[in-house]
Amino acid sequence: MDPWVQGQLDQWSKYPATIPANGEALAQDRGGPGSVPGLHLRLRIGKQAGQWTMEEPTVGFYLMRKIHGRKVNRLLGDRRIMSVESARKQARELLEKLNQGEDPLVERRRAAEAEKLRTLTYREALEAFLEQSPSLTKGTRKKYRESFVTFRDVADEPLTYFTPVRVKRIHEERSKESKARADQDMRVLRLVWNWARENYQTTEGEAVLGANPVSVALNRRRAGQTGWNRVPRKESTIPRAQLPDWFQALYELREQGDITEARRVSCLLLEALALTGLRFNELARLPWSQVDLKRGLLTIPDESSKNRRALTRPITRRVREILKQTGSSEGFIFPGRREGKPLNNCRKLQMELQERTGLWVIPHDLRRVWTSAASRASIPAVVIKRLLNHMSHAEEVTEGYIRLGLDELLDYSQTIEDTILGDAGLLTPRTTDGRLADLLAGFSEDEKQRLLLDLTRRQLGEGEE
């Protein structure tokens, strides 16, 4: 054992109070002309049962120096197997490389990180992305995981397996089954690749992955080659001329004597979707705590909204009646078959409606029914976007200055509802008395009393004149 090490241990044994808090001591290389600046011998002791122990101390050679403004602290070797001459030689070589901007440790880390990424599979990368994206909805997570169908034979291959040539081949094979799914799943691969490229980098911030193979394979069309399938956006809806048939079939099914409660609630939900334009999960999972019938408002919380932005909508006349008919007063407005759970789908009802009308209508088609009616009623585009909770593009600066009050939104919403019900043959011309009755239905007893008092005062004042 080196005399310095033995002397230091003897001192600490005799005077435990002199032991540093980290249990370490350093001796700098000052051995004459052959010494290396920054070379140190470091002694470290540990604890047993909370007490310092001099048994089995660790002694090693370290290079500790500031180079190019950065502190360097590198282990060169264990003193038990490395001589002073070897430590000095290794320290000089390391200093020379560091002064030239080369760092063996960083290079080893890069190699290790590159190797780690080379073994990161598509499945692992997607699950890691989902784990670090808590804001994604359950439906979005499910859709992303459905990409395993397209990549069923290669999901456990490393990301580096996906070259542009292979991506193009997989896309073409999947397109034979479903062009829409082929494009969708390639977008998921593109997303996961970009995420991995951003998150799996060297310590210097350099990307290990190269250009995205999906973009290379599909974005640029070359002679004789095809790219994305460019699947047209879905435009399915209920034709205006068939709205009476669809609503009549919906009402008939709801009024059947042997109908189950879940089926009755499903009928109410589909009608509410057609009259509000809301997304299925936004309305189906809406709890009573987000509804204020007295003020005539319902709020889609940000966690239920597709774009994570809360939406407050006025309640129209028919929608108010639907909410009162759902049979629930707490929990979810549209309760499902399982206690405490909302309706999760209306597929059986959709099939029955198809048998009666010949129309296969999914819940999102009803959003297009509402939007089409809004267009026919000449509702301003900014109002439609506001009621649908669509995000405005950044360049649409003028929209940022338009602030719509809830009263205005109610008028527009009621116009759209009346347009749909009118096209369905369900809206009779409203008399003045009928409109007053509708207004009074939304008033509390106190509000009715105040209105009655105000009207009486006006009538008495006119009589005195």
Side-chain angles (χ1 to χ4, degrees):
M1 184 176 292
D2 291 311
W4 172 79
V5 174
Q6 188 61 60
Q8 191 67 59
L9 293 175
D10 292 342
Q11 179 185 340
W12 284 349
S13 297
K14 188 174 182 180
Y15 304 105
T18 63
I19 300 176
N22 59 3
E24 295 181 2
L26 293 172
Q28 190 171 350
D29 183 18
R30 293 175 179 171
S35 62
V36 178
L39 178 61
H40 291 77
L41 190 63
R42 185 171 75 177
L43 165 66
R44 177 184 290 173
I45 60 174
K47 286 185 176 182
Q48 287 184 357
Q51 300 295 322
W52 292 110
T53 175
M54 306 302 156
E55 297 179 7
E56 298 183 1
T58 59
V59 184
F61 288 108
Y62 283 79
L63 180 63
M64 301 178 183
R65 194 169 178 184
K66 184 177 286 189
I67 300 176
H68 299 312
R70 185 166 60 93
K71 290 183 178 180
V72 175
N73 186 344
R74 299 290 169 78
L75 172 66
L76 301 177
D78 192 320
R79 177 65 181 97
R80 292 173 297 181
I81 58 175
M82 179 176 280
S83 66
V84 175
E85 290 74 17
S86 296
R88 286 173 174 173
K89 180 181 178 182
Q90 191 167 331
R92 291 191 191 98
E93 293 174 352
L94 179 58
L95 278 171
E96 183 179 358
K97 290 184 178 180
L98 292 173
N99 284 321
Q100 293 175 355
E102 301 175 14
D103 192 334
L105 179 60
V106 172
E107 292 174 0
R108 288 196 298 271
R109 286 177 178 171
R110 286 179 180 173
E113 289 163 352
E115 182 60 29
K116 179 180 179 181
L117 187 55
R118 277 193 288 271
T119 60
L120 180 70
T121 68
Y122 173 74
R123 189 186 305 276
E124 292 170 342
L126 176 56
E127 292 300 335
F129 165 74
L130 294 176
E131 184 178 350
Q132 294 187 27
S133 306
S135 62
L136 293 178
T137 64
K138 187 180 296 185
T140 300
R141 293 171 182 275
K142 179 183 178 182
K143 182 171 66 176
Y144 286 176
R145 287 193 174 101
E146 286 174 352
S147 65
F148 291 140
V149 176
T150 294
F151 305 117
R152 52 186 173 270
D153 297 328
V154 294
D156 294 312
E157 294 286 350
L159 281 178
T160 50
Y161 169 87
F162 294 91
T163 62
V165 173
R166 286 170 174 156
V167 164
K168 189 167 185 61
R169 186 178 68 247
I170 295 171
H171 180 258
E172 290 175 350
E173 288 298 319
R174 185 66 167 113
S175 296
K176 295 175 182 177
E177 303 171 5
S178 171
K179 292 183 177 181
R181 286 305 314 183
D183 281 4
Q184 171 61 40
D185 294 342
M186 284 301 161
R187 293 189 187 99
V188 178
L189 173 58
R190 182 177 60 186
L191 172 68
V192 171
W193 181 284
N194 288 338
W195 175 85
R197 190 173 191 272
E198 182 72 23
N199 287 271
Y200 289 85
Q201 299 180 348
T202 67
T203 53
E204 302 300 319
E206 299 173 352
V208 179
L209 285 175
N212 196 306
V214 177
S215 301
V216 174
L218 302 180
N219 281 4
R220 298 176 181 175
R221 292 196 174 193
R222 300 172 183 172
Q225 296 183 0
T226 58
W228 296 97
N229 289 311
R230 311 290 182 186
V231 179
R233 184 174 181 175
K234 286 186 177 181
E235 297 180 356
S236 57
T237 184
I238 304 175
R240 184 180 180 184
Q242 290 185 273
L243 280 173
D245 297 335
W246 188 84
F247 272 92
Q248 182 179 353
L250 185 69
Y251 284 10
E252 289 175 353
L253 287 172
R254 192 178 66 208
E255 293 168 3
Q256 286 180 339
D258 57 347
I259 190 172
T260 64
E261 181 62 16
R263 182 62 53 85
R264 188 186 72 83
V265 173
S266 296
C267 291
L268 293 171
L269 175 58
L270 288 186
E271 184 179 3
L273 289 172
L275 299 179
T276 61
L278 292 172
R279 298 180 179 90
F280 181 86
N281 284 335
E282 291 176 341
L283 194 54
R285 299 176 183 276
L286 188 66
W288 276 110
S289 59
Q290 299 294 336
V291 176
D292 188 340
L293 287 176
K294 183 177 180 181
R295 296 176 59 201
L297 300 174
L298 62 80
T299 299
I300 308 299
D302 53 5
E303 62 268 19
S304 299
S305 174
K306 182 178 180 179
N307 58 20
R308 289 293 183 263
R309 186 175 67 173
L311 170 67
T312 298
R313 290 274 301 264
I315 300 174
T316 51
R317 287 191 293 269
R318 176 55 190 155
V319 172
R320 178 186 291 273
E321 295 173 3
I322 292 173
L323 296 179
K324 291 180 178 180
Q325 294 174 18
T326 60
S328 66
S329 58
E330 57 183 19
F332 293 105
I333 299 174
F334 298 95
R337 294 174 179 80
R338 296 172 59 186
E339 186 175 355
K341 299 290 184 180
L343 275 175
N344 55 13
N345 68 77
C346 300
R347 291 191 187 92
K348 291 184 178 180
L349 176 58
Q350 293 166 221
M351 293 172 65
E352 291 190 35
L353 287 168
Q354 184 183 27
E355 291 177 3
R356 289 171 177 259
T357 65
L359 296 170
W360 173 249
V361 179
I362 64 173
H364 207 75
D365 293 340
L366 302 176
R367 188 170 171 86
R368 285 184 278 270
V369 167
W370 184 93
T371 307
S372 299
S375 178
R376 291 197 300 275
S378 300
I379 304 298
V382 64
V383 176
I384 297 175
K385 292 175 70 173
R386 168 73 172 78
L387 292 172
L388 290 174
N389 203 17
H390 279 169
M391 299 288 286
S392 297
H393 294 296
E395 64 269 16
E396 294 172 339
V397 179
T398 307
E399 290 189 8
Y401 291 89
I402 301 175
R403 292 292 179 266
L404 298 166
L406 291 173
D407 290 340
E408 295 174 278
L409 291 177
L410 175 59
D411 291 339
Y412 286 125
S413 299
Q414 191 59 60
T415 298
I416 298 170
E417 179 183 279
D418 291 346
T419 300
I420 295 172
L421 294 176
D423 290 341
L426 300 171
L427 188 67
T428 56
R430 304 294 295 173
T431 63
T432 301
D433 289 343
R435 291 178 179 177
L436 283 173
D438 290 336
L439 289 173
L440 289 174
F443 284 17
S444 67
E445 286 300 318
D446 290 341
E447 289 171 331
K448 292 176 182 178
Q449 291 291 340
R450 286 196 296 270
L451 178 61
L452 182 60
L453 180 61
D454 183 55
L455 291 173
T456 302
R457 286 173 177 172
R458 290 187 183 187
Q459 188 177 27
L460 291 175
E462 291 175 359
E464 290 175 357
E465 292 178 2

mmCIF file with all atom_site columns, all heavy atoms in Angstrom, residues 3-14:
data_model
loop_
_atom_site.group_PDB
_atom_site.id
_atom_site.type_symbol
_atom_site.label_atom_id
_atom_site.label_alt_id
_atom_site.label_comp_id
_atom_site.label_asym_id
_atom_site.label_entity_id
_atom_site.label_seq_id
_atom_site.pdbx_PDB_ins_code
_atom_site.Cartn_x
_atom_site.Cartn_y
_atom_site.Cartn_z
_atom_site.occupancy
_atom_site.B_iso_or_equiv
_atom_site.pdbx_formal_charge
_atom_site.auth_seq_id
_atom_site.auth_comp_id
_atom_site.auth_asym_id
_atom_site.auth_atom_id
_atom_site.pdbx_PDB_model_num
ATOM 1   N N   . PRO A 1 3  ? 2.576   4.676  0.836  1.00 0.00 ? 3  PRO A N   1
ATOM 2   C CA  . PRO A 1 3  ? 2.768   5.334  2.135  1.00 0.00 ? 3  PRO A CA  1
ATOM 3   C C   . PRO A 1 3  ? 1.739   6.428  2.392  1.00 0.00 ? 3  PRO A C   1
ATOM 4   O O   . PRO A 1 3  ? 1.252   6.576  3.515  1.00 0.00 ? 3  PRO A O   1
ATOM 5   C CB  . PRO A 1 3  ? 4.186   5.908  2.016  1.00 0.00 ? 3  PRO A CB  1
ATOM 6   C CG  . PRO A 1 3  ? 4.861   5.036  1.024  1.00 0.00 ? 3  PRO A CG  1
ATOM 7   C CD  . PRO A 1 3  ? 3.821   4.650  0.036  1.00 0.00 ? 3  PRO A CD  1
ATOM 8   N N   . TRP A 1 4  ? 1.402   7.182  1.303  1.00 0.00 ? 4  TRP A N   1
ATOM 9   C CA  . TRP A 1 4  ? 0.413   8.258  1.516  1.00 0.00 ? 4  TRP A CA  1
ATOM 10  C C   . TRP A 1 4  ? -0.938  7.680  1.907  1.00 0.00 ? 4  TRP A C   1
ATOM 11  O O   . TRP A 1 4  ? -1.612  8.192  2.806  1.00 0.00 ? 4  TRP A O   1
ATOM 12  C CB  . TRP A 1 4  ? 0.267   9.087  0.240  1.00 0.00 ? 4  TRP A CB  1
ATOM 13  C CG  . TRP A 1 4  ? -0.865  10.080 0.329  1.00 0.00 ? 4  TRP A CG  1
ATOM 14  C CD1 . TRP A 1 4  ? -0.851  11.278 0.965  1.00 0.00 ? 4  TRP A CD1 1
ATOM 15  C CD2 . TRP A 1 4  ? -2.187  9.920  -0.215 1.00 0.00 ? 4  TRP A CD2 1
ATOM 16  N NE1 . TRP A 1 4  ? -2.068  11.880 0.867  1.00 0.00 ? 4  TRP A NE1 1
ATOM 17  C CE2 . TRP A 1 4  ? -2.924  11.067 0.124  1.00 0.00 ? 4  TRP A CE2 1
ATOM 18  C CE3 . TRP A 1 4  ? -2.804  8.914  -0.963 1.00 0.00 ? 4  TRP A CE3 1
ATOM 19  C CZ2 . TRP A 1 4  ? -4.236  11.250 -0.242 1.00 0.00 ? 4  TRP A CZ2 1
ATOM 20  C CZ3 . TRP A 1 4  ? -4.109  9.100  -1.335 1.00 0.00 ? 4  TRP A CZ3 1
ATOM 21  C CH2 . TRP A 1 4  ? -4.825  10.254 -0.980 1.00 0.00 ? 4  TRP A CH2 1
ATOM 22  N N   . VAL A 1 5  ? -1.326  6.597  1.258  1.00 0.00 ? 5  VAL A N   1
ATOM 23  C CA  . VAL A 1 5  ? -2.612  5.976  1.560  1.00 0.00 ? 5  VAL A CA  1
ATOM 24  C C   . VAL A 1 5  ? -2.621  5.443  2.979  1.00 0.00 ? 5  VAL A C   1
ATOM 25  O O   . VAL A 1 5  ? -3.565  5.680  3.760  1.00 0.00 ? 5  VAL A O   1
ATOM 26  C CB  . VAL A 1 5  ? -2.919  4.839  0.565  1.00 0.00 ? 5  VAL A CB  1
ATOM 27  C CG1 . VAL A 1 5  ? -4.200  4.106  0.973  1.00 0.00 ? 5  VAL A CG1 1
ATOM 28  C CG2 . VAL A 1 5  ? -3.055  5.380  -0.845 1.00 0.00 ? 5  VAL A CG2 1
ATOM 29  N N   . GLN A 1 6  ? -1.545  4.738  3.363  1.00 0.00 ? 6  GLN A N   1
ATOM 30  C CA  . GLN A 1 6  ? -1.489  4.178  4.703  1.00 0.00 ? 6  GLN A CA  1
ATOM 31  C C   . GLN A 1 6  ? -1.493  5.277  5.755  1.00 0.00 ? 6  GLN A C   1
ATOM 32  O O   . GLN A 1 6  ? -2.170  5.177  6.780  1.00 0.00 ? 6  GLN A O   1
ATOM 33  C CB  . GLN A 1 6  ? -0.219  3.315  4.849  1.00 0.00 ? 6  GLN A CB  1
ATOM 34  C CG  . GLN A 1 6  ? -0.167  2.538  6.160  1.00 0.00 ? 6  GLN A CG  1
ATOM 35  C CD  . GLN A 1 6  ? -1.329  1.563  6.295  1.00 0.00 ? 6  GLN A CD  1
ATOM 36  O OE1 . GLN A 1 6  ? -1.475  0.675  5.463  1.00 0.00 ? 6  GLN A OE1 1
ATOM 37  N NE2 . GLN A 1 6  ? -2.158  1.728  7.337  1.00 0.00 ? 6  GLN A NE2 1
ATOM 38  N N   . GLY A 1 7  ? -0.749  6.342  5.486  1.00 0.00 ? 7  GLY A N   1
ATOM 39  C CA  . GLY A 1 7  ? -0.717  7.450  6.432  1.00 0.00 ? 7  GLY A CA  1
ATOM 40  C C   . GLY A 1 7  ? -2.074  8.104  6.594  1.00 0.00 ? 7  GLY A C   1
ATOM 41  O O   . GLY A 1 7  ? -2.472  8.479  7.702  1.00 0.00 ? 7  GLY A O   1
ATOM 42  N N   . GLN A 1 8  ? -2.789  8.249  5.474  1.00 0.00 ? 8  GLN A N   1
ATOM 43  C CA  . GLN A 1 8  ? -4.116  8.864  5.537  1.00 0.00 ? 8  GLN A CA  1
ATOM 44  C C   . GLN A 1 8  ? -5.091  7.991  6.321  1.00 0.00 ? 8  GLN A C   1
ATOM 45  O O   . GLN A 1 8  ? -5.867  8.484  7.146  1.00 0.00 ? 8  GLN A O   1
ATOM 46  C CB  . GLN A 1 8  ? -4.642  9.080  4.122  1.00 0.00 ? 8  GLN A CB  1
ATOM 47  C CG  . GLN A 1 8  ? -5.897  9.947  4.043  1.00 0.00 ? 8  GLN A CG  1
ATOM 48  C CD  . GLN A 1 8  ? -5.623  11.378 4.438  1.00 0.00 ? 8  GLN A CD  1
ATOM 49  O OE1 . GLN A 1 8  ? -4.798  12.056 3.838  1.00 0.00 ? 8  GLN A OE1 1
ATOM 50  N NE2 . GLN A 1 8  ? -6.293  11.845 5.473  1.00 0.00 ? 8  GLN A NE2 1
ATOM 51  N N   . LEU A 1 9  ? -5.019  6.665  6.096  1.00 0.00 ? 9  LEU A N   1
ATOM 52  C CA  . LEU A 1 9  ? -5.904  5.756  6.837  1.00 0.00 ? 9  LEU A CA  1
ATOM 53  C C   . LEU A 1 9  ? -5.586  5.763  8.323  1.00 0.00 ? 9  LEU A C   1
ATOM 54  O O   . LEU A 1 9  ? -6.502  5.721  9.168  1.00 0.00 ? 9  LEU A O   1
ATOM 55  C CB  . LEU A 1 9  ? -5.787  4.343  6.268  1.00 0.00 ? 9  LEU A CB  1
ATOM 56  C CG  . LEU A 1 9  ? -6.326  4.138  4.832  1.00 0.00 ? 9  LEU A CG  1
ATOM 57  C CD1 . LEU A 1 9  ? -6.023  2.719  4.356  1.00 0.00 ? 9  LEU A CD1 1
ATOM 58  C CD2 . LEU A 1 9  ? -7.830  4.399  4.769  1.00 0.00 ? 9  LEU A CD2 1
ATOM 59  N N   . ASP A 1 10 ? -4.283  5.800  8.648  1.00 0.00 ? 10 ASP A N   1
ATOM 60  C CA  . ASP A 1 10 ? -3.900  5.840  10.061 1.00 0.00 ? 10 ASP A CA  1
ATOM 61  C C   . ASP A 1 10 ? -4.419  7.101  10.735 1.00 0.00 ? 10 ASP A C   1
ATOM 62  O O   . ASP A 1 10 ? -4.909  7.055  11.880 1.00 0.00 ? 10 ASP A O   1
ATOM 63  C CB  . ASP A 1 10 ? -2.372  5.773  10.182 1.00 0.00 ? 10 ASP A CB  1
ATOM 64  C CG  . ASP A 1 10 ? -1.826  4.413  9.762  1.00 0.00 ? 10 ASP A CG  1
ATOM 65  O OD1 . ASP A 1 10 ? -2.633  3.451  9.714  1.00 0.00 ? 10 ASP A OD1 1
ATOM 66  O OD2 . ASP A 1 10 ? -0.620  4.322  9.477  1.00 0.00 ? 10 ASP A OD2 1
ATOM 67  N N   . GLN A 1 11 ? -4.331  8.209  10.021 1.00 0.00 ? 11 GLN A N   1
ATOM 68  C CA  . GLN A 1 11 ? -4.821  9.477  10.592 1.00 0.00 ? 11 GLN A CA  1
ATOM 69  C C   . GLN A 1 11 ? -6.320  9.432  10.835 1.00 0.00 ? 11 GLN A C   1
ATOM 70  O O   . GLN A 1 11 ? -6.809  9.859  11.878 1.00 0.00 ? 11 GLN A O   1
ATOM 71  C CB  . GLN A 1 11 ? -4.477  10.639 9.669  1.00 0.00 ? 11 GLN A CB  1
ATOM 72  C CG  . GLN A 1 11 ? -4.972  12.004 10.196 1.00 0.00 ? 11 GLN A CG  1
ATOM 73  C CD  . GLN A 1 11 ? -4.716  13.120 9.210  1.00 0.00 ? 11 GLN A CD  1
ATOM 74  O OE1 . GLN A 1 11 ? -3.881  12.976 8.326  1.00 0.00 ? 11 GLN A OE1 1
ATOM 75  N NE2 . GLN A 1 11 ? -5.430  14.218 9.357  1.00 0.00 ? 11 GLN A NE2 1
ATOM 76  N N   . TRP A 1 12 ? -7.047  8.895  9.863  1.00 0.00 ? 12 TRP A N   1
ATOM 77  C CA  . TRP A 1 12 ? -8.506  8.835  10.023 1.00 0.00 ? 12 TRP A CA  1
ATOM 78  C C   . TRP A 1 12 ? -8.909  7.867  11.131 1.00 0.00 ? 12 TRP A C   1
ATOM 79  O O   . TRP A 1 12 ? -9.893  8.102  11.832 1.00 0.00 ? 12 TRP A O   1
ATOM 80  C CB  . TRP A 1 12 ? -9.138  8.396  8.704  1.00 0.00 ? 12 TRP A CB  1
ATOM 81  C CG  . TRP A 1 12 ? -9.167  9.495  7.661  1.00 0.00 ? 12 TRP A CG  1
ATOM 82  C CD1 . TRP A 1 12 ? -8.900  10.811 7.859  1.00 0.00 ? 12 TRP A CD1 1
ATOM 83  C CD2 . TRP A 1 12 ? -9.462  9.336  6.272  1.00 0.00 ? 12 TRP A CD2 1
ATOM 84  N NE1 . TRP A 1 12 ? -9.006  11.512 6.684  1.00 0.00 ? 12 TRP A NE1 1
ATOM 85  C CE2 . TRP A 1 12 ? -9.373  10.620 5.685  1.00 0.00 ? 12 TRP A CE2 1
ATOM 86  C CE3 . TRP A 1 12 ? -9.795  8.254  5.462  1.00 0.00 ? 12 TRP A CE3 1
ATOM 87  C CZ2 . TRP A 1 12 ? -9.598  10.848 4.329  1.00 0.00 ? 12 TRP A CZ2 1
ATOM 88  C CZ3 . TRP A 1 12 ? -10.035 8.471  4.121  1.00 0.00 ? 12 TRP A CZ3 1
ATOM 89  C CH2 . TRP A 1 12 ? -9.932  9.754  3.543  1.00 0.00 ? 12 TRP A CH2 1
ATOM 90  N N   . SER A 1 13 ? -8.162  6.802  11.277 1.00 0.00 ? 13 SER A N   1
ATOM 91  C CA  . SER A 1 13 ? -8.469  5.846  12.349 1.00 0.00 ? 13 SER A CA  1
ATOM 92  C C   . SER A 1 13 ? -8.253  6.482  13.713 1.00 0.00 ? 13 SER A C   1
ATOM 93  O O   . SER A 1 13 ? -9.013  6.248  14.659 1.00 0.00 ? 13 SER A O   1
ATOM 94  C CB  . SER A 1 13 ? -7.587  4.599  12.212 1.00 0.00 ? 13 SER A CB  1
ATOM 95  O OG  . SER A 1 13 ? -7.859  3.926  11.004 1.00 0.00 ? 13 SER A OG  1
ATOM 96  N N   . LYS A 1 14 ? -7.185  7.276  13.808 1.00 0.00 ? 14 LYS A N   1
ATOM 97  C CA  . LYS A 1 14 ? -6.856  7.895  15.089 1.00 0.00 ? 14 LYS A CA  1
ATOM 98  C C   . LYS A 1 14 ? -7.738  9.095  15.384 1.00 0.00 ? 14 LYS A C   1
ATOM 99  O O   . LYS A 1 14 ? -8.137  9.328  16.539 1.00 0.00 ? 14 LYS A O   1
ATOM 100 C CB  . LYS A 1 14 ? -5.386  8.311  15.076 1.00 0.00 ? 14 LYS A CB  1
ATOM 101 C CG  . LYS A 1 14 ? -4.878  8.795  16.426 1.00 0.00 ? 14 LYS A CG  1
ATOM 102 C CD  . LYS A 1 14 ? -3.368  9.045  16.355 1.00 0.00 ? 14 LYS A CD  1
ATOM 103 C CE  . LYS A 1 14 ? -2.823  9.484  17.706 1.00 0.00 ? 14 LYS A CE  1
ATOM 104 N NZ  . LYS A 1 14 ? -1.346  9.738  17.646 1.00 0.00 ? 14 LYS A NZ  1
#
